């Protein structure tokens, strides 16, 4: 058996008054039809990135809605995660090519993980490329399989894409964050587009009293008498942390006491993180107005919440981005964002809602300076951003779209009754 992630209880009813009513009502209606359906979500890490953030909220909520949902982790050693990170980079367009021995490492781990997977589910939802080969190598185990791709695969490296593509024939459906991410010659017919979402009730996104937020940041050495800009990201070159440092140094002559915080997590499935961390350290040594924090020194959800609440501007200068939950997280706190025009970011900030989109380091520096010099405008942008997130990027909307997809797939291939309280689907004979 693969490792099961322990999860707390959540109440879907608690989102009433926060998320739009029509989303909550339709989700409740669909969940009633899907009562008892057993879903397994499968990924590679229980912490450190957007996927784990989403699953930690959505899996318990699916249970509260009456489905039977679990989250399990595939296993891998350092060599496997090195290969999957290279595959991830190549699928996002990097020139990296996988060698034959790297492909063999991927296949051997996939085969092993497939053999540990039990056959007790109606749906198995596989997140990202790390576990993608499981149904082809281990059999479909009587379930319907969904591949949920969170990364930008619009222009994949052809060699990497040709390696992954054959495994995808075993799936019944796929989900992408934006339509443009669907790669060429995609082999799965049923494709849905569902941008991710944040959980307004998680410790990371709950309203934090200002006094507490200030205490949390002062405690770790941030001086709140000085202006503060922050980027919160895995240490990954696609997130352009060195570009952020460069932009910050261009702003500083104009705002001499400006602080920069780079808050980064090191995820289980991201071995490049340490390398990037060291590059950031080298680029910032001796500059005591730049703070670098990681999850490994205890900077976790509450600290991230405090940074997103109290920063004058939040940066997300991604060069490639799946979605960038951090953008919605900051906007939800009414904080303006300066972000790279990449992947799923522009849909979170359409036509300047919430902040300023940029393409270069120079534009980034200009945008930050502008917002620091025009705090009233910055506040307005942040407030508009919060409302945009409320309508489009809170967890109930994502659950609703997830339930719509499951409902459509049950319609296409009805689930055999196993004494479950499955309500009959209209138009489907039992
Ligand atoms: N995150 C965190 N601590 C960190 C860095 C990131 O908790 O030091 C969280 C961040 O708040 C967000 C997630 O990790 O919830 C990153 O998701 P995103 O979609 O922005 O990027 P990904 O890592 O999935 O590429």
């Amino acid at each position: 058996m693969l490792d099961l992630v322990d999860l707390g209880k959540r109440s879907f009813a608690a989102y009433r008054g926060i998320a739009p009513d029509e989303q909550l009502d339709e989700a409740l209606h669909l969940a009633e039809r899907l009562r008892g359906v057993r879903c397994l979500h499968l990924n590679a890490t229980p912490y450190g990135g957007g996927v784990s953030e989403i699953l930690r909220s959505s899996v318990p909520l699916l249970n509260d809605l009456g489905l039977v949902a679990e989250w399990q982790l595939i296993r891998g050693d350092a060599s496997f995660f090195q290969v999957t990170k290279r595959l991830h980079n190549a699928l996002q367009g990097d020139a990296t090519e996988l060698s034959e021995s790297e492909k063999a490492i991927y296949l051997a781990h996939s085969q092993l993980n497939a053999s540990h997977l039990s056959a007790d589910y109606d749906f198995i939802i596989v997140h990202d490329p790390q576990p993608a080969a499981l149904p082809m190598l281990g059999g479909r185990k009587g379930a319907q399989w969904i591949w949920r791709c969170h990364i930008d695969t619009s222009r994949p490296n052809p060699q990497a894409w040709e390696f992954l593509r054959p495994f995808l024939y075993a799936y019944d459906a796929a989900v992408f964050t934006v339509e443009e991410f669907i790669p060429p010659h995609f082999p799965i017919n049923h494709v849905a587009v569902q941008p991710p979402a944040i959980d307004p009730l998680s410790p990371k996104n709950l309203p934090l009293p200002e006094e507490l937020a200030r205490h949390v940041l002062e405690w770790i050495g941030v001086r709140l008498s000085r202006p503060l800009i922050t980027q919160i990201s895995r240490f990954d070159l696609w997130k352009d942390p060195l570009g952020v440092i460069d932009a910050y140094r261009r702003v500083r002559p104009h705002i001499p006491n400006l602080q920069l915080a780079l808050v980064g997590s090191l995820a289980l499935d991201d071995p490049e993180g340490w390398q990037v961390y060291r590059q950031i350290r080298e680029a910032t040594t001796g500059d005591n107005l730049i703070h670098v924090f990681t999850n490994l020194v205890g900077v976790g959800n509450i600290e991230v919440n405090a940074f997103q609440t109290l920063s004058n501007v939040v940066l997300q200068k991604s060069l490639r981005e799946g979605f960038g939950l951090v953008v919605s997280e900051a906007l939800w706190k009414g904080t303006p964002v300066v972000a790279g025009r990449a992947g799923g970011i522009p849909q979170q900030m359409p036509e300047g809602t919430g902040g300023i989109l940029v393409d270069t380091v120079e534009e980034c520096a200009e945008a930050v300076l502008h917002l620091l010099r025009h705090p009233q405008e910055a506040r307005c942008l942040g407030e508009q951003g919060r409302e945009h997130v409320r309508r489009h990027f809170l967890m109930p909307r994502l659950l609703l779209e997830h339930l719509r997809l499951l409902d459509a797939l049950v319609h296409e291939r009805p689930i055999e009754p196993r004494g479950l309280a499955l309500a009959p689907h209209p138009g489907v004979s039992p």
Side-chain angles (χ1 to χ4, degrees):
M1 169 117 175
L2 298 177
D3 291 330
L4 191 67
V5 180
D6 256 342
L7 295 164
K9 270 194 177 306
R10 311 273 187 273
S11 158
F12 191 73
Y15 295 78
R16 187 72 66 183
I18 303 174
D21 280 341
E22 60 278 13
Q23 294 175 6
L24 299 172
D25 294 340
E26 191 186 340
L28 284 168
H29 173 70
L30 283 174
E32 201 45 52
R33 300 215 300 231
L34 293 163
R35 184 161 283 280
V37 163
R38 300 161 313 163
C39 307
L40 171 66
H41 286 263
L42 205 56
N43 86 322
T45 176
Y47 66 87
V51 177
S52 50
E53 196 74 20
I54 293 163
L55 294 180
R56 199 160 286 285
S57 294
S58 62
V59 172
L61 281 168
L62 286 170
N63 282 305
D64 185 62
L65 282 164
L67 287 79
V68 181
E70 279 180 1
W71 171 13
Q72 290 182 16
L73 304 172
I74 56 161
R75 293 185 198 154
D77 61 13
S79 69
F80 175 66
F81 289 126
Q82 243 141 31
V83 172
T84 56
K85 186 63 202 279
R86 279 164 60 73
L87 179 60
H88 166 109
N89 287 342
L91 291 169
Q92 290 217 127
D94 200 89
T96 327
E97 301 216 331
L98 293 185
S99 67
E100 288 311 309
S101 65
E102 286 177 319
K103 290 178 188 173
I105 289 171
Y106 181 81
L107 292 177
H109 279 80
S110 300
Q111 192 84 60
L112 197 64
N113 279 308
S115 69
H116 288 306
L117 193 62
S118 78
D120 290 334
Y121 303 98
D122 301 305
F123 289 100
I124 299 180
I125 300 106
V126 170
H127 294 264
D128 281 338
Q130 298 95 326
L134 265 62
M136 187 59 93
L137 296 179
R140 290 163 42 91
K141 301 188 190 274
Q144 294 203 61
W145 288 71
I146 300 170
W147 187 50
R148 199 330 172 184
C149 178
H150 293 268
I151 60 177
D152 177 352
T153 43
S154 51
R155 286 160 293 163
N157 169 323
Q159 190 248 15
W161 178 224
E162 277 319 308
F163 172 64
L164 186 72
R165 206 170 78 88
F167 298 118
L168 302 180
Y169 281 97
Y171 286 84
D172 299 278
V175 180
F176 288 88
T177 295
V178 294
E179 198 165 344
E180 296 79 64
F181 287 0
I182 303 170
H185 311 295
F186 191 63
I188 305 171
N189 287 331
H190 193 139
V191 179
V193 173
Q194 300 172 4
I198 63 163
D199 187 344
L201 298 180
S202 72
K204 181 172 288 169
N205 294 316
L206 274 173
L208 211 52
E210 184 173 338
E211 203 185 328
L212 177 59
R214 297 186 76 85
H215 180 75
V216 163
L217 293 194
E218 296 269 5
W219 182 262
I220 57 173
V222 178
R223 309 261 282 278
L224 290 169
S225 53
R226 298 171 168 171
L228 170 68
I229 61 174
T230 303
Q231 174 155 304
I232 296 156
S233 277
R234 278 180 303 103
F235 291 126
D236 181 326
L237 292 178
W238 295 117
K239 313 278 185 185
D240 201 16
L242 302 176
V244 169
I245 294 165
D246 191 354
Y248 162 76
R249 291 204 163 122
R250 289 165 194 249
V251 179
R252 199 145 115 204
H254 306 280
I255 315 229
N257 58 352
L258 181 65
Q259 294 168 103
L260 167 66
L262 291 167
V263 182
S265 52
L266 294 145
L268 194 67
D269 61 343
D270 186 0
E272 274 175 7
W274 282 108
Q275 240 166 288
V276 177
Y277 174 75
R278 277 191 288 274
Q279 283 175 289
I280 292 170
R281 280 294 188 195
E282 268 162 36
T284 58
T285 313
D287 191 335
N288 57 15
L289 287 179
I290 303 183
H291 309 275
V292 183
F293 297 109
T294 75
N295 51 337
L296 299 182
V297 294
V299 172
N301 287 332
I302 300 296
E303 287 79 6
V304 168
N305 188 337
F307 273 113
Q308 290 168 335
T309 303
L310 293 181
S311 294
N312 300 78
V313 175
V314 161
L315 288 148
Q316 189 53 45
K317 213 204 137 308
S318 303
L319 303 169
R320 285 266 209 291
E321 186 59 77
F323 181 69
L325 283 177
V326 279
V327 172
S328 280
E329 288 169 0
L331 295 177
W332 181 241
K333 286 135 196 148
T335 302
V337 175
V338 170
R341 199 186 310 275
I345 291 176
Q347 64 175 316
Q348 300 177 70
M349 301 169 60
E351 290 156 33
T353 311
I356 302 175
L357 292 171
V358 297
D359 292 302
T360 61
V361 168
E362 294 76 18
E363 284 178 19
C364 181
E366 265 170 42
V368 169
L369 189 57
H370 180 84
L371 293 177
L372 291 174
R373 282 181 168 163
H374 300 88
Q376 186 69 30
E377 184 189 335
R379 233 186 327 274
C380 274
L381 284 170
E383 280 312 312
Q384 288 161 4
R386 177 177 163 88
E387 180 53 20
H388 184 67
V389 170
R390 192 184 77 80
R391 285 176 187 281
H392 301 285
F393 300 115
L394 297 186
M395 195 50 72
R397 191 270 309 148
L398 179 59
L399 284 168
L400 167 60
E401 290 179 343
H402 185 57
L403 295 172
R404 278 189 193 144
L405 174 62
L406 299 188
D407 193 55
L409 292 171
V410 168
H411 192 103
E412 280 169 25
R413 202 181 109 195
I415 291 169
E416 285 167 25
R418 276 171 307 257
L420 294 172
L422 243 192
H425 191 291
V428 176
S429 41

